[in-house]
Structures are given as structure tokens and as C-alpha cells.
Amino acid sequence: MIRRRDRGREPAGTVTPMPGPEPLEEEEVDAQIRAVAALNEPVRRGLYRLAVSRPAPLSRDEAARELGISRELAAFHLDKLVELGMLEVEFRRLSGRQGPGAGRPAKLYRPSALQLELSFPPRRYDLAAHLLAEAMDGEGGATAGGLDGAARRFGEELGREVRRHLGRRPGVDELLAEVVTVLDRYGFEAVRRDGEVVLRNCPFAAVAAAHPEVVCGMNLAIVDGLVAGLRTGAIRGRLAPEPGRCCVVVAPEPT
């Protein structure tokens, strides 16, 4: 997964905002791939590391001196990092003087709010942390039951958002298609297979390896909440653990 996170503000998505951590958006993923790829260039990588390690904005002259490169080369790569949204610019007179004769303001570079995380397949440990924090604030506390309750409420909010856009009596195929869309955007890599929705990826894999019952219960609670929010009795989530995938599938209710 490659994700964008803006410190202090949530990035705008292309659909109705969902509760808790934002879902993955294809445009954001593409932007992050470009940003990470840009750091493969050694000079650019060195300048970015320098900028994020400093408490004060960085000038072109300082950057060139620290890396032992020309000012022109430093300026070129710093401006490329600005284009990619990884650095921001401000202008300030370094002499501290004002008025005529004070000189032109210097172009200074500081880290942007962009944060980079690279993970394939997708991982959403931020979502697990969010749900755990919600559980700790709730009546259930930091217990498996409290976590399941927080996960179910999260799923219900997702389902309610989706339900607003469906007709009065959506069919099973339409409901399963919406489940695929929602869960795929949170990193579950959901696909239709043999009439069910299979979740090919667990976004919490490292935690699940150590605490499978806790994570499987949380995942099932998310799906149960999603189904409840969709206000349907036509589909349900169930545990069907298999190696290499999430332990939950979503299937039509038996008729």
C-alpha cells in the first residue's frame, strides 16, 4: 500500500467521506508511487532527508553546501520535490532587515504535510489503531468485545453511507457489488468468487499472525456492521479461514 496522509487535515476523496481513517483512492496511490519513485534519485533523496531533518526551512545555499553540490543542482531538485508535493516554499529575508537595501527574500523549503507509507499488499494498521482507540473510549473498554463493538459501529457507518445511494430493494448482486467496492477501498482486496465475496488480503496481517482470534473477530464485526448498515437480510458475513487471505467471506443468505 502507498498512502497519503496530511498532518492536521484529511485529504479530499472522490466519494462521500467515510468515518475514521480515509479509504484508499486510486489517484492518491498513483501520486504516492510518483513521490516514492522520485526519491530513487540520490541527490533528490539526500535533499529530502535534509529538509525533513531540520527544524527550520532550508535555503538553496544551505542545501548545496550540506550536500557538496552546486546551487543550481540543489535548486532544480528542491523545486522538483515541491512539484511532487513533498516540500513547500516560503520567502523570507535571511538578513532580518526590512525596506530598501534589505535584499530580495530568499526562497526557503520546508517539509509539506505529505507522509509516505509503502506497503504491498495493502496494510491498514491505522484503521486497527483507530478502532482500538474507539474501543478504549467506549463502554466495552480495551477488550475483544469492546473492539468488536467499535468495529461493528465503523462498518455500520460505511453501510449507511452506501445505502443512501441504493434503490429501495437492491438485489443480492447489487449488494455484493457494493460490499466489494467498500471493502476493497480499505485494503481487503475483495473479489466475487463462486457467488461470494472473498477477501484476499488482511490489512492487519502482522497483528493477525500474533492475535488471529482478535483480528478475525474484528474483521467479522466490520462486515456484520456493513451488512447491518445496508439494511438487508439477503447477505451475511461468516468466518471461513484459509491460508493467505482474510478469514471472512460475505455470502447470500440461504433461501
Side-chain angles (χ1 to χ4, degrees), residues 182-228:
V182 172
L183 295 180
D184 193 56
R185 293 175 65 228
Y186 280 90
F188 285 95
E189 295 187 349
V191 295
R192 298 280 294 273
R193 183 180 298 167
D194 298 328
E196 298 181 331
V197 173
V198 175
L199 309 182
R200 297 178 299 173
N201 179 58
C202 177
F204 322 111
V207 183
H211 307 282
E213 292 185 4
V214 173
V215 174
C216 288
M218 179 178 71
N219 288 345
L220 182 59
I222 291 174
V223 171
D224 285 346
L226 175 59
V227 171

Side-chain angles (χ1 to χ4, degrees), residues 43-196:
V43 172
R44 199 168 297 170
R45 184 167 64 249
L47 288 169
Y48 185 67
R49 284 178 170 172
L50 181 62
V52 298
S53 68
R54 291 171 58 90
L58 179 71
S59 72
R60 292 173 169 179
D61 289 330
E62 292 171 318
R65 184 168 57 251
E66 289 288 339
L67 268 66
I69 59 177
S70 69
R71 185 179 187 278
E72 291 73 18
L73 184 60
F76 173 80
H77 285 294
L78 287 168
D79 287 338
K80 284 295 183 181
L81 291 170
V82 172
E83 290 178 17
L84 291 165
M86 303 169 74
L87 297 181
E88 295 177 348
V89 170
E90 66 179 68
F91 292 89
R92 189 173 72 241
R93 289 188 175 91
L94 299 180
S95 66
R97 293 182 296 169
Q98 301 293 328
R104 296 175 59 185
K107 190 174 185 179
L108 304 177
Y109 302 83
R110 63 176 184 269
S112 72
L114 186 69
Q115 297 187 45
L116 302 178
E117 296 180 38
L118 176 61
S119 176
F120 292 102
R123 300 290 180 245
R124 293 303 307 264
Y125 300 114
D126 61 325
L127 176 55
H130 170 82
L131 295 176
L132 180 59
E134 287 287 328
M136 293 179 68
D137 284 342
E139 295 180 358
T143 64
L147 180 59
D148 289 352
R152 182 181 175 86
R153 291 190 294 273
F154 175 76
E156 287 176 352
E157 287 295 324
L158 298 180
R160 281 194 288 268
E161 290 289 346
V162 173
R163 189 66 181 84
R164 295 172 186 171
H165 308 292
L166 296 177
R168 293 184 61 185
R169 295 183 178 178
V172 170
D173 283 343
E174 189 176 5
L175 290 166
L176 291 178
E178 292 295 339
V179 168
V180 167
T181 299
V182 172
L183 295 180
D184 193 56
R185 293 175 65 228
Y186 280 90
F188 285 95
E189 295 187 349
V191 295
R192 298 280 294 273
R193 183 180 298 167
D194 298 328
E196 298 181 331

